[in-house]
Amino acid sequence: MESLLAQGAVMVQEAKKILVFVGAGLSTESGIPDFRSPGGLWSKYDPSDFYYDKFLSDEEARKKYWKMSTESYAIMRDAKPNRAHLAIKALEDKGKLIAVVTQNIDHLHHKAGNSPEKIIEIHGTTFSVSCLSCGKRYDRDEIQERIRLGEEVPRCDACSGILKPDTISFGQAMPQDKVSRAIAHAQECDLCIAAGSSLVVYPAASIPVYAVESGARLIIVNRDETSLDSTANLVIHESVSKALGDMVGI
């Protein structure tokens, strides 16, 4: 393992334009359970209750959604960046990071100090809420306070429209501007590091593919095998925080 990490460190040192693509494995090391893992939210709730169309059409579905989302938000709000997040921040400090594309909705790259313009939250963020009718945006804590005071399904105070956290739900269209930016960065990077992602959730998981097809080298860091392992220049099955921390040298 140490020789693999040493190889990764050399690849990081040689690279000039690094794109980091991260998934839930980064957040689990900050104490945020993977929705799909044993004990995760999908073991308590039925994912089919949270499809976007159902959220729009069914008041009971919205009530279930807010209950689930409130539970997950409490964990994310209190979570702290781990060594992997700090390693990604260090890559920015070194002038090597062109962007971090994250499947996570937990705001931990912001907490770690990465520049907002470097962070592409491809599945959105749970830290803000928007009205689906008029577009008014709210800080999440404001909405959580209304829920704490008894409002089970909060509505927009400007137009009474449906409020929803700024995350991408099952069946909801991906934000095309973010996808386009992520692809553009993938096509310009000389090294892509895919960390803590099973690389099975598309279209997000296609980002490392674009990087490889454009000539970039690919490092995959994940505890388990992924479908892209055979195309990577280096595969490390290890703790994400240890691997990134060691390779970046923090």
Side-chain angles (χ1 to χ4, degrees):
M1 180 58 64
E2 293 307 314
S3 65
L4 294 177
L5 293 172
Q7 288 178 52
V10 171
M11 291 171 69
V12 168
Q13 190 172 12
E14 291 175 346
K16 293 182 171 61
K17 295 182 177 181
I18 299 177
L19 175 69
V20 181
F21 176 87
V22 304
L26 207 72
S27 297
T28 55
E29 295 188 26
S30 285
I32 299 173
D34 183 349
F35 278 37
R36 295 174 177 79
S37 64
L41 283 175
W42 295 151
S43 63
K44 299 180 183 179
Y45 297 94
D46 182 353
S48 67
D49 285 334
F50 303 112
Y51 274 82
Y52 187 57
D53 287 348
K54 196 166 186 178
F55 180 87
L56 294 178
S57 63
D58 186 343
E59 182 80 0
E60 281 302 311
R62 289 194 285 276
K63 190 180 297 185
K64 283 183 185 178
Y65 178 96
W66 278 105
K67 183 181 178 185
M68 177 276 294
S69 186
T70 293
E71 186 177 334
S72 64
Y73 175 67
I75 297 169
M76 294 183 192
R77 181 195 57 213
D78 297 334
K80 300 289 191 294
N82 61 54
R83 190 180 174 207
H85 296 97
L86 299 179
I88 295 168
K89 169 62 164 63
L91 287 176
E92 180 176 344
D93 293 340
K94 294 172 187 286
K96 290 177 176 285
L97 184 75
I98 56 172
V100 52
V101 179
T102 178
Q103 295 175 282
N104 303 324
I105 59 174
D106 51 35
H107 221 58
L108 285 176
H109 296 289
H110 293 270
K111 288 184 181 179
N114 280 111
S115 304
E117 61 270 18
K118 296 281 188 183
I119 304 167
I120 302 176
E121 295 169 310
I122 205 161
H123 289 160
T125 176
T126 196
F127 279 74
S128 60
V129 174
S130 292
C131 175
L132 298 180
S133 296
C134 73
K136 182 176 178 178
R137 202 170 189 207
Y138 299 80
D139 182 86
R140 180 65 183 263
D141 285 334
E142 177 184 346
I143 302 304
Q144 287 306 129
E145 179 62 13
R146 287 165 54 177
I147 291 172
R148 189 186 70 80
L149 294 173
E151 203 172 333
E152 289 184 305
V153 182
R155 288 270 183 171
C156 178
D157 57 14
C159 74
S160 298
I162 294 172
L163 294 182
K164 182 181 178 297
D166 291 327
T167 57
I168 302 301
S169 297
F170 298 119
Q172 186 176 3
M174 293 284 286
Q176 197 51 52
D177 59 330
K178 292 181 180 180
V179 173
S180 297
R181 282 177 58 211
I183 291 172
H185 288 311
Q187 291 172 331
E188 72 168 303
C189 73
D190 56 14
L191 174 64
C192 177
I193 303 174
S197 175
S198 58
L199 299 174
V200 296
V201 179
Y202 282 80
S206 64
I207 300 304
V209 177
Y210 280 103
V212 171
E213 290 177 346
S214 299
R217 294 198 281 182
L218 174 62
I219 299 174
I220 294 178
V221 181
N222 199 49
R223 288 189 181 274
D224 302 313
E225 293 181 359
T226 79
S227 60
L228 292 184
D229 283 6
S230 61
T231 66
N233 300 88
L234 181 64
V235 177
I236 299 174
H237 295 305
E238 174 60 277
S239 154
V240 180
S241 56
K242 172 175 172 46
L244 288 188
D246 284 4
M247 287 192 297
V248 175
I250 65 160

